[in-house]
Amino acid sequence: MSGMPLHTATNKTLSEEATRVEALAKYSVLDTPPEPAFDDIVMLASQVCDAPIALVSLLDADRQWFKARTGLDACETPLNQSVCVHALKQRDLLVIPDLIQDERTNCSPLVTADPHLRFYAGARLENPDGVALGTLCVVDKLPRPEGLSEAQGSALKALAGQVVAQLELRRAIMERDRALKAYYRAQQKMRADTFRCAALIRAQQAVSNSIGGISQNISFILRDCLAAVPRADGAALITRKDDKLIYTAAVGHFANQSGDHKWLLAPFADLCMRTGQPFFSSDISCDQRADPGTAKLSIHRSFIIAPILRNGTNVSCLELCARLPGIFTDDDILTARLFAGVIGGFIME
């Protein structure tokens, strides 16, 4: 690095570290449980190199974390104590016969204190883009002036290649799983959208075929609404009569309340009917708009209340409920509003 300005060298080092950390993050491997494929590699490295300690060391921003290890209790150490960080700077093996005699490592607590390491040999773990992620290394508590034999060095580099192959395989499997999940989510949404559309069409046909209003078919329409929003446990048509809110029709969990005065969540339905704006609560038990006393009496946690308009006037509202909190989606809210629009378009004076 002679002749290179200090700030240029520092910037280059920071850039290399950022690139390494970013590349390592793509594997989602840090802090994961042990895996046999990596454990087998460190066992072989230890045996081939006749070393009591072998590690798959991955270098994060401020630590070296061991994906696999044998002969060492610690699962990670601070990066400023790492010997492996020096191995990243060269393509070939880094072999240090006596760590206490090398100026790069003689002050490391890993050398001067427990576990008192003395010998190190490490091969870079380089991803297909040429970014060094860490090392496969073997370590001894005794100096080894002879280092490694040519056969041992070749074996260590070959095993390092297998570590990278396992990391790449691991990433490929994760990407495949993510793609499959995205595909299944898209398929489920497409099926749900198709089902919603079919239910909405049935509701439109029901009101179109009604003579003198939709009162005789409203229960069927509410059931179609529940079918289109399967997360809902109940659906009700609420109207105002003599300053009271009444369940004009109800299905699901609301079925036994048809014709009853709606008192429990009347402020919400009343607000919806007075403003003509939809109301949504993902959890009424912690919704500041709900009265705590009455909210505790409800077995339902999630609500959608959509206004039903006729000629611009709010004449009633459609309410959906669910026992689970946070269960409704934006699609569910949109579906409720669409059904409210269908009902509103055919309500007779």
Side-chain angles (χ1 to χ4, degrees), residues 138-156:
V138 291
V139 188
D140 203 334
K141 294 185 178 182
L142 297 173
R144 292 169 61 163
E146 72 284 0
L148 295 178
S149 68
E150 183 176 348
Q152 288 173 326
S154 296
L156 189 61

Side-chain angles (χ1 to χ4, degrees), residues 192-209:
D193 289 344
T194 300
F195 200 71
R196 290 171 195 260
C197 289
L200 192 58
I201 291 170
R202 288 197 303 270
Q204 290 172 327
Q205 290 173 340
V207 294
S208 296
N209 295 332

Side-chain angles (χ1 to χ4, degrees), residues 99-138:
L99 293 168
I100 208 166
Q101 300 296 326
D102 194 296
E103 63 180 9
R104 294 170 295 181
T105 58
N106 58 12
C107 294
S108 170
L110 298 176
V111 176
T112 60
D114 190 62
H116 296 286
L117 306 179
R118 294 293 297 274
F119 169 76
Y120 176 91
R124 280 171 37 127
L125 302 177
E126 188 175 292
N127 76 1
D129 295 325
V131 179
L133 308 172
T135 70
L136 171 65
C137 63
V138 291

Side-chain angles (χ1 to χ4, degrees), residues 248-278:
T248 301
V251 297
H253 279 198
F254 287 149
N256 63 349
Q257 300 181 53
S258 182
D260 287 353
H261 169 50
K262 178 167 177 57
W263 61 275
L264 184 60
L265 295 173
F268 293 163
D270 183 61
L271 179 64
C272 173
M273 294 184 70
R274 283 190 291 105
T275 64
Q277 297 298 317

Side-chain angles (χ1 to χ4, degrees), residues 16-45:
E16 290 173 348
E17 290 178 355
T19 300
R20 181 187 74 241
V21 171
E22 181 181 2
L24 185 58
K26 293 178 180 178
Y27 291 92
S28 299
V29 67
L30 294 176
D31 300 312
T32 56
E35 298 176 49
F38 296 97
D39 293 340
D40 290 346
I41 290 174
V42 294
M43 180 190 68
L44 286 172

Side-chain angles (χ1 to χ4, degrees), residues 187-222:
Q187 289 292 308
Q188 289 172 348
K189 186 177 187 307
M190 185 171 64
R191 285 194 293 269
D193 289 344
T194 300
F195 200 71
R196 290 171 195 260
C197 289
L200 192 58
I201 291 170
R202 288 197 303 270
Q204 290 172 327
Q205 290 173 340
V207 294
S208 296
N209 295 332
S210 297
I211 300 175
I214 62 168
S215 58
Q216 60 183 350
N217 289 323
I218 188 61
S219 293
F220 295 105
I221 296 171
L222 292 179

Side-chain angles (χ1 to χ4, degrees), residues 30-307:
L30 294 176
D31 300 312
T32 56
E35 298 176 49
F38 296 97
D39 293 340
D40 290 346
I41 290 174
V42 294
M43 180 190 68
L44 286 172
S46 173
Q47 292 176 353
V48 168
C49 297
D50 193 23
I53 300 171
L55 309 164
V56 171
S57 176
L58 301 174
L59 275 61
D60 198 8
D62 56 1
R63 60 172 177 155
Q64 62 175 0
W65 178 78
F66 307 130
K67 174 58 184 172
R69 65 189 190 277
T70 183
L72 189 69
D73 292 333
C75 62
E76 64 177 56
T77 67
L79 195 61
N80 58 13
Q81 298 179 11
S82 172
V83 178
C84 294
V85 71
H86 302 293
L88 301 191
K89 300 175 182 178
Q90 60 185 59
R91 294 281 178 178
D92 202 1
L93 286 174
L94 172 64
V95 179
I96 303 179
D98 191 347
L99 293 168
I100 208 166
Q101 300 296 326
D102 194 296
E103 63 180 9
R104 294 170 295 181
T105 58
N106 58 12
C107 294
S108 170
L110 298 176
V111 176
T112 60
D114 190 62
H116 296 286
L117 306 179
R118 294 293 297 274
F119 169 76
Y120 176 91
R124 280 171 37 127
L125 302 177
E126 188 175 292
N127 76 1
D129 295 325
V131 179
L133 308 172
T135 70
L136 171 65
C137 63
V138 291
V139 188
D140 203 334
K141 294 185 178 182
L142 297 173
R144 292 169 61 163
E146 72 284 0
L148 295 178
S149 68
E150 183 176 348
Q152 288 173 326
S154 296
L156 189 61
K157 288 191 286 186
L159 289 172
Q162 288 303 305
V163 173
V164 175
Q166 287 298 323
L167 287 172
E168 286 295 313
L169 175 61
R170 195 176 184 282
R171 181 168 70 170
I173 291 173
M174 286 191 301
E175 290 177 350
R176 179 207 63 188
D177 290 345
R178 280 195 292 265
L180 285 174
K181 287 179 181 178
Y183 170 77
Y184 289 135
R185 282 196 299 268
Q187 289 292 308
Q188 289 172 348
K189 186 177 187 307
M190 185 171 64
R191 285 194 293 269
D193 289 344
T194 300
F195 200 71
R196 290 171 195 260
C197 289
L200 192 58
I201 291 170
R202 288 197 303 270
Q204 290 172 327
Q205 290 173 340
V207 294
S208 296
N209 295 332
S210 297
I211 300 175
I214 62 168
S215 58
Q216 60 183 350
N217 289 323
I218 188 61
S219 293
F220 295 105
I221 296 171
L222 292 179
R223 290 192 185 96
D224 277 332
C225 186
L226 279 185
V229 186
R231 299 173 183 84
D233 297 318
L237 176 66
I238 302 170
T239 57
R240 187 185 299 277
K241 182 178 181 181
D242 299 330
D243 294 328
K244 295 180 180 180
L245 298 180
I246 304 294
Y247 282 107
T248 301
V251 297
H253 279 198
F254 287 149
N256 63 349
Q257 300 181 53
S258 182
D260 287 353
H261 169 50
K262 178 167 177 57
W263 61 275
L264 184 60
L265 295 173
F268 293 163
D270 183 61
L271 179 64
C272 173
M273 294 184 70
R274 283 190 291 105
T275 64
Q277 297 298 317
F279 173 85
F280 169 71
S281 179
S282 60
D283 189 351
I284 63 166
S285 67
C286 55
D287 194 320
Q288 294 182 351
R289 299 169 296 179
D291 176 70
T294 55
K296 287 181 180 179
L297 298 176
S298 175
I299 64 171
H300 302 115
R301 301 282 293 278
S302 301
F303 282 85
I304 301 173
I305 305 176

